[in-house]
PDB file of all heavy atoms in Angstrom:
ATOM      1  N   ILE J  16     -25.112   2.316 -10.462  1.00  0.00           N
ATOM      2  CA  ILE J  16     -26.451   2.955 -10.487  1.00  0.00           C
ATOM      3  C   ILE J  16     -26.773   3.553  -9.097  1.00  0.00           C
ATOM      4  O   ILE J  16     -27.241   4.660  -8.995  1.00  0.00           O
ATOM      5  CB  ILE J  16     -27.487   1.904 -10.872  1.00  0.00           C
ATOM      6  CG1 ILE J  16     -27.342   1.526 -12.369  1.00  0.00           C
ATOM      7  CG2 ILE J  16     -28.917   2.456 -10.641  1.00  0.00           C
ATOM      8  CD1 ILE J  16     -28.180   0.381 -12.793  1.00  0.00           C
ATOM      9  N   TRP J  21     -27.416   8.230  -5.669  1.00  0.00           N
ATOM     10  CA  TRP J  21     -27.041   8.929  -4.425  1.00  0.00           C
ATOM     11  C   TRP J  21     -26.490  10.313  -4.715  1.00  0.00           C
ATOM     12  O   TRP J  21     -26.828  11.271  -4.040  1.00  0.00           O
ATOM     13  CB  TRP J  21     -26.010   8.082  -3.689  1.00  0.00           C
ATOM     14  CG  TRP J  21     -25.681   8.620  -2.317  1.00  0.00           C
ATOM     15  CD1 TRP J  21     -26.275   8.319  -1.105  1.00  0.00           C
ATOM     16  CD2 TRP J  21     -24.666   9.647  -2.018  1.00  0.00           C
ATOM     17  NE1 TRP J  21     -25.708   9.011  -0.094  1.00  0.00           N
ATOM     18  CE2 TRP J  21     -24.694   9.869  -0.610  1.00  0.00           C
ATOM     19  CE3 TRP J  21     -23.741  10.348  -2.767  1.00  0.00           C
ATOM     20  CZ2 TRP J  21     -23.849  10.744   0.025  1.00  0.00           C
ATOM     21  CZ3 TRP J  21     -22.877  11.244  -2.126  1.00  0.00           C
ATOM     22  CH2 TRP J  21     -22.944  11.431  -0.753  1.00  0.00           C
ATOM     23  N   ILE J  29     -22.576  14.912 -10.905  1.00  0.00           N
ATOM     24  CA  ILE J  29     -22.378  13.482 -11.158  1.00  0.00           C
ATOM     25  C   ILE J  29     -21.108  13.213 -11.943  1.00  0.00           C
ATOM     26  O   ILE J  29     -20.253  12.353 -11.574  1.00  0.00           O
ATOM     27  CB  ILE J  29     -23.614  12.922 -11.863  1.00  0.00           C
ATOM     28  CG1 ILE J  29     -24.830  12.956 -10.940  1.00  0.00           C
ATOM     29  CG2 ILE J  29     -23.358  11.442 -12.248  1.00  0.00           C
ATOM     30  CD1 ILE J  29     -26.128  12.533 -11.548  1.00  0.00           C
ATOM     31  N   LEU J  33     -17.735  11.354 -10.443  1.00  0.00           N
ATOM     32  CA  LEU J  33     -17.310  10.054 -10.963  1.00  0.00           C
ATOM     33  C   LEU J  33     -15.926  10.093 -11.558  1.00  0.00           C
ATOM     34  O   LEU J  33     -15.420   9.068 -12.087  1.00  0.00           O
ATOM     35  CB  LEU J  33     -18.306   9.549 -11.961  1.00  0.00           C
ATOM     36  CG  LEU J  33     -19.704   9.160 -11.415  1.00  0.00           C
ATOM     37  CD1 LEU J  33     -20.638   8.751 -12.527  1.00  0.00           C
ATOM     38  CD2 LEU J  33     -19.611   8.040 -10.380  1.00  0.00           C
ATOM     39  N   ILE J  56       9.043  -0.222 -14.877  1.00  0.00           N
ATOM     40  CA  ILE J  56       9.098  -1.499 -15.583  1.00  0.00           C
ATOM     41  C   ILE J  56      10.504  -1.661 -16.262  1.00  0.00           C
ATOM     42  O   ILE J  56      11.046  -2.738 -16.349  1.00  0.00           O
ATOM     43  CB  ILE J  56       7.979  -1.651 -16.611  1.00  0.00           C
ATOM     44  CG1 ILE J  56       6.663  -1.826 -15.905  1.00  0.00           C
ATOM     45  CG2 ILE J  56       8.227  -2.836 -17.544  1.00  0.00           C
ATOM     46  CD1 ILE J  56       6.556  -3.114 -15.124  1.00  0.00           C
ATOM     47  N   VAL J  71      17.190 -12.425 -22.785  1.00  0.00           N
ATOM     48  CA  VAL J  71      16.799 -11.291 -23.612  1.00  0.00           C
ATOM     49  C   VAL J  71      17.190 -11.570 -25.065  1.00  0.00           C
ATOM     50  O   VAL J  71      18.356 -11.939 -25.364  1.00  0.00           O
ATOM     51  CB  VAL J  71      17.412  -9.987 -23.135  1.00  0.00           C
ATOM     52  CG1 VAL J  71      16.979  -8.814 -24.038  1.00  0.00           C
ATOM     53  CG2 VAL J  71      16.984  -9.724 -21.682  1.00  0.00           C
ATOM     54  N   VAL J  93      -9.409   1.174 -20.125  1.00  0.00           N
ATOM     55  CA  VAL J  93     -10.576   2.014 -19.950  1.00  0.00           C
ATOM     56  C   VAL J  93     -11.696   1.232 -19.364  1.00  0.00           C
ATOM     57  O   VAL J  93     -12.381   1.667 -18.396  1.00  0.00           O
ATOM     58  CB  VAL J  93     -10.990   2.663 -21.287  1.00  0.00           C
ATOM     59  CG1 VAL J  93     -12.346   3.365 -21.163  1.00  0.00           C
ATOM     60  CG2 VAL J  93      -9.957   3.650 -21.759  1.00  0.00           C
ATOM     61  N   ARG J 112     -18.504   5.900   3.852  1.00  0.00           N
ATOM     62  CA  ARG J 112     -18.054   7.260   4.073  1.00  0.00           C
ATOM     63  C   ARG J 112     -18.009   7.653   5.533  1.00  0.00           C
ATOM     64  O   ARG J 112     -17.257   8.569   5.923  1.00  0.00           O
ATOM     65  CB  ARG J 112     -18.935   8.264   3.299  1.00  0.00           C
ATOM     66  CG  ARG J 112     -20.356   8.360   3.798  1.00  0.00           C
ATOM     67  CD  ARG J 112     -21.187   9.174   2.797  1.00  0.00           C
ATOM     68  NE  ARG J 112     -22.583   9.328   3.278  1.00  0.00           N
ATOM     69  CZ  ARG J 112     -23.526   8.414   3.106  1.00  0.00           C
ATOM     70  NH1 ARG J 112     -23.213   7.234   2.526  1.00  0.00           N
ATOM     71  NH2 ARG J 112     -24.726   8.634   3.566  1.00  0.00           N
ATOM     72  N   ARG J 113     -18.755   7.034   6.426  1.00  0.00           N
ATOM     73  CA  ARG J 113     -18.799   7.403   7.844  1.00  0.00           C
ATOM     74  C   ARG J 113     -17.678   6.736   8.649  1.00  0.00           C
ATOM     75  O   ARG J 113     -17.487   7.068   9.814  1.00  0.00           O
ATOM     76  CB  ARG J 113     -20.171   7.034   8.436  1.00  0.00           C
ATOM     77  CG  ARG J 113     -21.311   7.739   7.772  1.00  0.00           C
ATOM     78  CD  ARG J 113     -22.613   7.540   8.525  1.00  0.00           C
ATOM     79  NE  ARG J 113     -23.764   8.119   7.815  1.00  0.00           N
ATOM     80  CZ  ARG J 113     -24.062   9.401   7.815  1.00  0.00           C
ATOM     81  NH1 ARG J 113     -23.313  10.267   8.480  1.00  0.00           N
ATOM     82  NH2 ARG J 113     -25.099   9.818   7.131  1.00  0.00           N
ATOM     83  N   THR J 147      -1.557  -8.544  -9.193  1.00  0.00           N
ATOM     84  CA  THR J 147      -2.519  -7.698  -9.885  1.00  0.00           C
ATOM     85  C   THR J 147      -3.342  -6.897  -8.911  1.00  0.00           C
ATOM     86  O   THR J 147      -3.705  -5.716  -9.197  1.00  0.00           O
ATOM     87  CB  THR J 147      -3.457  -8.610 -10.762  1.00  0.00           C
ATOM     88  OG1 THR J 147      -2.630  -9.347 -11.678  1.00  0.00           O
ATOM     89  CG2 THR J 147      -4.492  -7.790 -11.522  1.00  0.00           C
ATOM     90  N   ALA J 222       8.006  -3.319  -7.513  1.00  0.00           N
ATOM     91  CA  ALA J 222       7.755  -2.178  -8.413  1.00  0.00           C
ATOM     92  C   ALA J 222       6.414  -1.571  -8.135  1.00  0.00           C
ATOM     93  O   ALA J 222       6.224  -0.349  -8.190  1.00  0.00           O
ATOM     94  CB  ALA J 222       7.859  -2.661  -9.846  1.00  0.00           C
ATOM     95  N   ILE J 227       3.263   3.047  -5.841  1.00  0.00           N
ATOM     96  CA  ILE J 227       2.410   3.607  -4.822  1.00  0.00           C
ATOM     97  C   ILE J 227       3.106   4.798  -4.144  1.00  0.00           C
ATOM     98  O   ILE J 227       2.502   5.857  -3.933  1.00  0.00           O
ATOM     99  CB  ILE J 227       2.026   2.524  -3.774  1.00  0.00           C
ATOM    100  CG1 ILE J 227       1.068   1.524  -4.383  1.00  0.00           C
ATOM    101  CG2 ILE J 227       1.422   3.193  -2.543  1.00  0.00           C
ATOM    102  CD1 ILE J 227       0.779   0.330  -3.496  1.00  0.00           C
ATOM    103  N   GLY J 241      -3.021  17.278   1.866  1.00  0.00           N
ATOM    104  CA  GLY J 241      -3.716  15.996   1.714  1.00  0.00           C
ATOM    105  C   GLY J 241      -3.266  15.005   2.782  1.00  0.00           C
ATOM    106  O   GLY J 241      -2.217  15.105   3.356  1.00  0.00           O
ATOM    107  N   PRO J 258      -9.675  22.366  -8.624  1.00  0.00           N
ATOM    108  CA  PRO J 258      -8.643  22.063  -7.698  1.00  0.00           C
ATOM    109  C   PRO J 258      -7.553  23.121  -7.703  1.00  0.00           C
ATOM    110  O   PRO J 258      -7.235  23.659  -8.705  1.00  0.00           O
ATOM    111  CB  PRO J 258      -8.066  20.696  -8.158  1.00  0.00           C
ATOM    112  CG  PRO J 258      -8.462  20.616  -9.587  1.00  0.00           C
ATOM    113  CD  PRO J 258      -9.736  21.356  -9.754  1.00  0.00           C
TER     114      PRO J 258
END
Side-chain angles (χ1 to χ4, degrees):
I16 292 171
W21 187 92
I29 295 174
L33 293 176
I56 290 296
V71 179
V93 170
R112 67 190 182 279
R113 299 189 186 280
T147 300
I227 289 173

